[in-house]
C-alpha cells in the first residue's frame, strides 16, 4: 500500500485499483499542498468533520471523479445537497464495507461545523482497512483515554496523529496517544500548515521512539511512504 501526504490531514491510501482520500484540503486552499483538486483521482473520499481545512475540496473532487464519499450522517446529507451522488452516512461506530476493505467511524473530541458555519453533531476519527493494514486517522482531537479501547477492538498498524496543538492535541499529548494505540508506524499530521499549529515534528519523532511507542515517519506534502 502507498501512503501519500498532501498536508494538514489529507492523505491518499492506494492499493490495487482503490485509492482512499481523507479530509480533502488541497492547493490553493491548503497553503502547503503540492497537488490541486484536479490532480487527485480517488475512488473513495473519507471525511472526519466539516471544518474547511478538512472538507474544502471534497465536493469538487467527488463531483469530478465520482468518488464514493463516507462521512458522518449530517455531513453526508450536506454533501448530497451539494450534488455528490455516491454517499454513505454512518454515525459513530458504523462501518462501510467495500470490496477492498472497510471504513469505520470512531469518536474524536473536537468541534464540528459545516463550511457555511452551521454547527452540527460530533466529529469523528476514522479506521480505514486497506491492503491488509488498519489505519487509524484520529481526525482533529485532543488526547482521550478511549483511544486505547479503539485500538483494543481494532488493532492498528498505522496511526495518523495531529501534533500541532492549539486546535488539537499537541506533540506531547500525541506521544501519549501513540502509547495508548500501540501502532507499529506513526505518522504526524495537522502541523506546520498555519502559524498557530507550528511544532517540532523531529522532536515528536524522537519522543515517540524513545518511549517505544512506534516508528515515526515524517512526510512532507507530496511525499509517499510504502507500508
Amino acid at each position: 500500500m502507498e501512503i501519500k501526504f498532501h498536508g494538514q490531514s489529507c492523505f491518499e491510501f492506494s492499493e490495487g485499483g482503490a485509492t482512499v482520500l481523507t479530509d480533502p484540503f488541497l492547493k490553493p486552499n491548503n497553503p502547503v499542498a503540492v497537488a490541486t483538486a484536479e490532480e487527485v483521482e480517488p475512488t473513495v473520499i473519507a471525511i472526519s468533520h466539516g471544518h474547511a481545512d478538512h472538507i474544502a475540496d471534497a465536493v469538487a473532487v467527488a463531483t469530478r471523479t465520482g468518488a464514493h464519499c463516507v462521512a458522518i450522517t449530517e455531513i453526508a446529507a450536506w454533501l448530497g445537497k451539494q450534488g455528490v451522488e455516491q454517499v454513505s452516512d454512518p454515525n459513530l461506530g458504523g462501518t462501510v464495507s467495500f470490496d477492498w476493505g472497510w471504513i469505520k467511524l470512531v469518536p474524536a473530541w473536537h468541534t464540528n461545523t459545516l463550511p457555511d458555519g452551521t454547527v452540527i453533531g460530533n466529529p469523528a476519527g476514522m479506521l480505514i482497512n486497506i491492503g491488509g493494514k488498519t489505519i487509524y486517522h484520529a481526525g482533529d482531537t485532543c488526547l482521550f483515554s478511549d483511544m486505547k479501547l479503539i485500538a483494543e477492538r481494532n488493532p492498528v498498524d498505522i496511526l495518523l496523529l495531529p501534533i500541532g496543538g492549539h486546535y488539537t492535541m499537541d506533540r506531547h499529548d500525541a506521544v501519549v496517544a501513540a502509547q495508548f494505540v500501540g501502532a507499529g508506524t506513526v505518522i504526524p499530521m495537522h502541523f506546520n500548515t498555519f502559524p498557530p499549529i507550528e511544532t517540532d515534528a523531529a522532536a515528536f519523532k524522537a519522543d515517540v521512539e524513545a518511549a517505544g511507542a512506534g516508528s515515526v515517519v515524517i512526510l512532507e506534502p507530496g511525499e509517499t511512504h510504502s507500508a
Side-chain angles (χ1 to χ4, degrees):
M1 179 186 55
E2 291 295 312
I3 301 171
K4 185 171 186 177
F5 183 47
H6 289 291
Q8 198 67 339
S9 302
C10 184
F11 291 83
E12 285 182 78
F13 309 106
S14 299
E15 175 72 17
T19 296
V20 180
L21 178 70
T22 64
D23 287 357
F25 186 50
L26 299 156
K27 185 180 179 179
N29 292 313
N30 181 344
V32 301
V34 175
T36 71
E38 298 294 320
E39 296 174 308
V40 293
E41 297 292 337
T43 55
V44 173
I45 298 171
I47 299 167
S48 66
H49 66 292
H51 289 161
D53 57 325
H54 297 260
I55 202 172
D57 294 293
V59 172
V61 175
T63 53
R64 179 179 60 81
T65 63
H68 187 133
C69 290
V70 178
I72 204 162
T73 308
E74 291 82 0
I75 293 174
W78 177 83
L79 290 168
K81 291 177 182 177
Q82 310 308 306
V84 178
E85 295 182 354
Q86 294 194 78
V87 182
S88 291
D89 65 343
N91 214 311
L92 297 178
T95 301
V96 180
S97 296
F98 298 89
D99 57 5
W100 48 262
W102 46 264
I103 297 173
K104 179 177 183 176
L105 298 190
V106 295
W109 281 94
H110 193 58
T111 55
N112 196 12
T113 58
L114 292 171
D116 64 5
T118 301
V119 178
I120 56 173
N122 293 327
M126 303 178 288
L127 294 171
I128 302 169
N129 183 269
I130 182 172
K133 305 280 188 180
T134 298
I135 302 155
Y136 178 11
H137 185 299
D140 277 12
T141 189
C142 63
L143 176 66
F144 63 105
S145 61
D146 277 352
M147 297 179 87
K148 292 181 183 179
L149 177 62
I150 291 168
E152 286 175 5
R153 294 287 299 140
N154 300 272
V156 174
D157 299 295
I158 301 163
L159 174 62
L160 313 179
L161 280 178
I163 67 167
H166 196 77
Y167 301 112
T168 68
M169 69 175 79
D170 61 20
R171 67 177 180 86
H172 305 289
D173 280 352
V175 174
V176 178
Q179 292 174 303
F180 281 177
V181 173
T185 301
V186 180
I187 302 177
M189 63 178 181
H190 210 277
F191 70 101
N192 292 355
T193 312
F194 308 105
I197 59 172
E198 290 177 356
T199 194
D200 187 341
F204 169 70
K205 174 180 171 69
D207 290 346
V208 169
E209 294 180 351
S215 176
V216 175
V217 177
I218 301 170
L219 296 175
E220 295 296 327
E223 290 185 342
T224 61
H225 172 70
S226 296

PDB file of all heavy atoms in Angstrom, residues 110 139-143 162-170 189-190 197:
ATOM      1  N   HIS A 110     -13.562  17.166  19.570  1.00  0.00           N
ATOM      2  CA  HIS A 110     -13.290  18.371  18.809  1.00  0.00           C
ATOM      3  C   HIS A 110     -14.634  19.076  18.625  1.00  0.00           C
ATOM      4  O   HIS A 110     -15.629  18.700  19.252  1.00  0.00           O
ATOM      5  CB  HIS A 110     -12.671  17.960  17.460  1.00  0.00           C
ATOM      6  CG  HIS A 110     -12.059  19.077  16.668  1.00  0.00           C
ATOM      7  ND1 HIS A 110     -11.055  19.879  17.140  1.00  0.00           N
ATOM      8  CD2 HIS A 110     -12.307  19.504  15.399  1.00  0.00           C
ATOM      9  CE1 HIS A 110     -10.695  20.741  16.218  1.00  0.00           C
ATOM     10  NE2 HIS A 110     -11.456  20.544  15.150  1.00  0.00           N
ATOM     11  N   GLY A 139      -8.326  12.073  13.128  1.00  0.00           N
ATOM     12  CA  GLY A 139      -9.078  13.298  12.916  1.00  0.00           C
ATOM     13  C   GLY A 139      -8.505  14.424  13.770  1.00  0.00           C
ATOM     14  O   GLY A 139      -7.370  14.365  14.237  1.00  0.00           O
ATOM     15  N   ASP A 140      -9.295  15.449  13.964  1.00  0.00           N
ATOM     16  CA  ASP A 140      -8.905  16.520  14.886  1.00  0.00           C
ATOM     17  C   ASP A 140      -9.402  16.132  16.264  1.00  0.00           C
ATOM     18  O   ASP A 140     -10.607  15.947  16.475  1.00  0.00           O
ATOM     19  CB  ASP A 140      -9.543  17.852  14.469  1.00  0.00           C
ATOM     20  CG  ASP A 140      -8.765  18.567  13.390  1.00  0.00           C
ATOM     21  OD1 ASP A 140      -7.854  17.941  12.801  1.00  0.00           O
ATOM     22  OD2 ASP A 140      -9.080  19.737  13.103  1.00  0.00           O
ATOM     23  N   THR A 141      -8.496  16.005  17.207  1.00  0.00           N
ATOM     24  CA  THR A 141      -8.914  15.577  18.539  1.00  0.00           C
ATOM     25  C   THR A 141      -7.879  15.978  19.580  1.00  0.00           C
ATOM     26  O   THR A 141      -6.701  16.180  19.270  1.00  0.00           O
ATOM     27  CB  THR A 141      -9.123  14.046  18.586  1.00  0.00           C
ATOM     28  OG1 THR A 141      -9.729  13.676  19.822  1.00  0.00           O
ATOM     29  CG2 THR A 141      -7.826  13.278  18.391  1.00  0.00           C
ATOM     30  N   CYS A 142      -8.344  16.080  20.817  1.00  0.00           N
ATOM     31  CA  CYS A 142      -7.450  16.120  21.959  1.00  0.00           C
ATOM     32  C   CYS A 142      -7.128  14.680  22.352  1.00  0.00           C
ATOM     33  O   CYS A 142      -7.658  13.726  21.775  1.00  0.00           O
ATOM     34  CB  CYS A 142      -8.116  16.860  23.119  1.00  0.00           C
ATOM     35  SG  CYS A 142      -9.620  16.052  23.730  1.00  0.00           S
ATOM     36  N   LEU A 143      -6.255  14.520  23.295  1.00  0.00           N
ATOM     37  CA  LEU A 143      -5.961  13.212  23.861  1.00  0.00           C
ATOM     38  C   LEU A 143      -7.158  12.735  24.680  1.00  0.00           C
ATOM     39  O   LEU A 143      -7.732  13.495  25.461  1.00  0.00           O
ATOM     40  CB  LEU A 143      -4.725  13.311  24.756  1.00  0.00           C
ATOM     41  CG  LEU A 143      -4.310  12.053  25.523  1.00  0.00           C
ATOM     42  CD1 LEU A 143      -3.850  10.961  24.574  1.00  0.00           C
ATOM     43  CD2 LEU A 143      -3.210  12.409  26.523  1.00  0.00           C
ATOM     44  N   PRO A 162      -2.712  14.108  14.916  1.00  0.00           N
ATOM     45  CA  PRO A 162      -2.432  15.549  14.910  1.00  0.00           C
ATOM     46  C   PRO A 162      -1.433  15.881  16.002  1.00  0.00           C
ATOM     47  O   PRO A 162      -1.504  15.331  17.105  1.00  0.00           O
ATOM     48  CB  PRO A 162      -3.805  16.174  15.200  1.00  0.00           C
ATOM     49  CG  PRO A 162      -4.520  15.127  16.006  1.00  0.00           C
ATOM     50  CD  PRO A 162      -4.043  13.799  15.479  1.00  0.00           C
ATOM     51  N   ILE A 163      -0.499  16.783  15.693  1.00  0.00           N
ATOM     52  CA  ILE A 163       0.520  17.128  16.706  1.00  0.00           C
ATOM     53  C   ILE A 163       0.692  18.641  16.868  1.00  0.00           C
ATOM     54  O   ILE A 163       1.515  19.083  17.659  1.00  0.00           O
ATOM     55  CB  ILE A 163       1.886  16.492  16.374  1.00  0.00           C
ATOM     56  CG1 ILE A 163       2.506  17.096  15.101  1.00  0.00           C
ATOM     57  CG2 ILE A 163       1.768  14.974  16.266  1.00  0.00           C
ATOM     58  CD1 ILE A 163       3.981  16.740  14.902  1.00  0.00           C
ATOM     59  N   GLY A 164      -0.067  19.435  16.122  1.00  0.00           N
ATOM     60  CA  GLY A 164       0.203  20.866  16.071  1.00  0.00           C
ATOM     61  C   GLY A 164      -0.240  21.671  17.268  1.00  0.00           C
ATOM     62  O   GLY A 164       0.160  22.825  17.433  1.00  0.00           O
ATOM     63  N   GLY A 165      -1.081  21.091  18.132  1.00  0.00           N
ATOM     64  CA  GLY A 165      -1.572  21.853  19.269  1.00  0.00           C
ATOM     65  C   GLY A 165      -2.564  22.928  18.846  1.00  0.00           C
ATOM     66  O   GLY A 165      -2.989  23.006  17.700  1.00  0.00           O
ATOM     67  N   HIS A 166      -2.970  23.745  19.776  1.00  0.00           N
ATOM     68  CA  HIS A 166      -3.896  24.867  19.624  1.00  0.00           C
ATOM     69  C   HIS A 166      -5.312  24.398  19.270  1.00  0.00           C
ATOM     70  O   HIS A 166      -6.236  24.636  20.015  1.00  0.00           O
ATOM     71  CB  HIS A 166      -3.394  25.893  18.602  1.00  0.00           C
ATOM     72  CG  HIS A 166      -4.113  27.208  18.697  1.00  0.00           C
ATOM     73  ND1 HIS A 166      -3.835  28.122  19.675  1.00  0.00           N
ATOM     74  CD2 HIS A 166      -5.109  27.747  17.950  1.00  0.00           C
ATOM     75  CE1 HIS A 166      -4.627  29.172  19.540  1.00  0.00           C
ATOM     76  NE2 HIS A 166      -5.420  28.968  18.505  1.00  0.00           N
ATOM     77  N   TYR A 167      -5.494  23.753  18.131  1.00  0.00           N
ATOM     78  CA  TYR A 167      -6.811  23.247  17.731  1.00  0.00           C
ATOM     79  C   TYR A 167      -6.976  21.759  18.031  1.00  0.00           C
ATOM     80  O   TYR A 167      -8.095  21.233  17.945  1.00  0.00           O
ATOM     81  CB  TYR A 167      -7.043  23.482  16.236  1.00  0.00           C
ATOM     82  CG  TYR A 167      -6.965  24.939  15.832  1.00  0.00           C
ATOM     83  CD1 TYR A 167      -5.932  25.392  15.026  1.00  0.00           C
ATOM     84  CD2 TYR A 167      -7.916  25.854  16.270  1.00  0.00           C
ATOM     85  CE1 TYR A 167      -5.843  26.726  14.656  1.00  0.00           C
ATOM     86  CE2 TYR A 167      -7.833  27.197  15.906  1.00  0.00           C
ATOM     87  CZ  TYR A 167      -6.801  27.625  15.099  1.00  0.00           C
ATOM     88  OH  TYR A 167      -6.710  28.950  14.741  1.00  0.00           O
ATOM     89  N   THR A 168      -5.884  21.070  18.307  1.00  0.00           N
ATOM     90  CA  THR A 168      -5.892  19.633  18.567  1.00  0.00           C
ATOM     91  C   THR A 168      -4.880  19.338  19.672  1.00  0.00           C
ATOM     92  O   THR A 168      -4.259  20.254  20.220  1.00  0.00           O
ATOM     93  CB  THR A 168      -5.463  18.831  17.315  1.00  0.00           C
ATOM     94  OG1 THR A 168      -4.062  19.090  17.056  1.00  0.00           O
ATOM     95  CG2 THR A 168      -6.281  19.211  16.085  1.00  0.00           C
ATOM     96  N   MET A 169      -4.669  18.062  19.954  1.00  0.00           N
ATOM     97  CA  MET A 169      -3.581  17.698  20.863  1.00  0.00           C
ATOM     98  C   MET A 169      -2.253  18.240  20.334  1.00  0.00           C
ATOM     99  O   MET A 169      -2.073  18.410  19.120  1.00  0.00           O
ATOM    100  CB  MET A 169      -3.513  16.177  21.037  1.00  0.00           C
ATOM    101  CG  MET A 169      -3.071  15.403  19.818  1.00  0.00           C
ATOM    102  SD  MET A 169      -2.877  13.616  20.133  1.00  0.00           S
ATOM    103  CE  MET A 169      -4.570  13.055  20.069  1.00  0.00           C
ATOM    104  N   ASP A 170      -1.338  18.510  21.256  1.00  0.00           N
ATOM    105  CA  ASP A 170      -0.002  18.949  20.856  1.00  0.00           C
ATOM    106  C   ASP A 170       0.919  17.735  20.745  1.00  0.00           C
ATOM    107  O   ASP A 170       0.499  16.594  20.952  1.00  0.00           O
ATOM    108  CB  ASP A 170       0.546  19.999  21.802  1.00  0.00           C
ATOM    109  CG  ASP A 170       0.684  19.510  23.248  1.00  0.00           C
ATOM    110  OD1 ASP A 170       0.723  18.276  23.479  1.00  0.00           O
ATOM    111  OD2 ASP A 170       0.766  20.366  24.150  1.00  0.00           O
ATOM    112  N   MET A 189       0.379  14.539  11.621  1.00  0.00           N
ATOM    113  CA  MET A 189      -0.413  15.357  10.695  1.00  0.00           C
ATOM    114  C   MET A 189      -0.892  16.602  11.440  1.00  0.00           C
ATOM    115  O   MET A 189      -0.640  16.777  12.629  1.00  0.00           O
ATOM    116  CB  MET A 189      -1.603  14.566  10.139  1.00  0.00           C
ATOM    117  CG  MET A 189      -2.620  14.124  11.166  1.00  0.00           C
ATOM    118  SD  MET A 189      -4.016  13.244  10.404  1.00  0.00           S
ATOM    119  CE  MET A 189      -5.020  12.897  11.857  1.00  0.00           C
ATOM    120  N   HIS A 190      -1.571  17.484  10.706  1.00  0.00           N
ATOM    121  CA  HIS A 190      -2.173  18.688  11.281  1.00  0.00           C
ATOM    122  C   HIS A 190      -1.127  19.514  12.029  1.00  0.00           C
ATOM    123  O   HIS A 190      -1.295  19.872  13.197  1.00  0.00           O
ATOM    124  CB  HIS A 190      -3.338  18.320  12.208  1.00  0.00           C
ATOM    125  CG  HIS A 190      -4.415  19.379  12.274  1.00  0.00           C
ATOM    126  ND1 HIS A 190      -4.320  20.473  13.095  1.00  0.00           N
ATOM    127  CD2 HIS A 190      -5.599  19.501  11.610  1.00  0.00           C
ATOM    128  CE1 HIS A 190      -5.401  21.228  12.954  1.00  0.00           C
ATOM    129  NE2 HIS A 190      -6.193  20.663  12.047  1.00  0.00           N
ATOM    130  N   ILE A 197      -0.245  26.304  14.489  1.00  0.00           N
ATOM    131  CA  ILE A 197      -0.004  24.869  14.678  1.00  0.00           C
ATOM    132  C   ILE A 197       1.420  24.473  14.260  1.00  0.00           C
ATOM    133  O   ILE A 197       1.682  23.318  13.939  1.00  0.00           O
ATOM    134  CB  ILE A 197      -1.056  24.004  13.968  1.00  0.00           C
ATOM    135  CG1 ILE A 197      -1.095  24.263  12.455  1.00  0.00           C
ATOM    136  CG2 ILE A 197      -2.429  24.244  14.580  1.00  0.00           C
ATOM    137  CD1 ILE A 197      -1.987  23.286  11.690  1.00  0.00           C
TER     138      ILE A 197
END
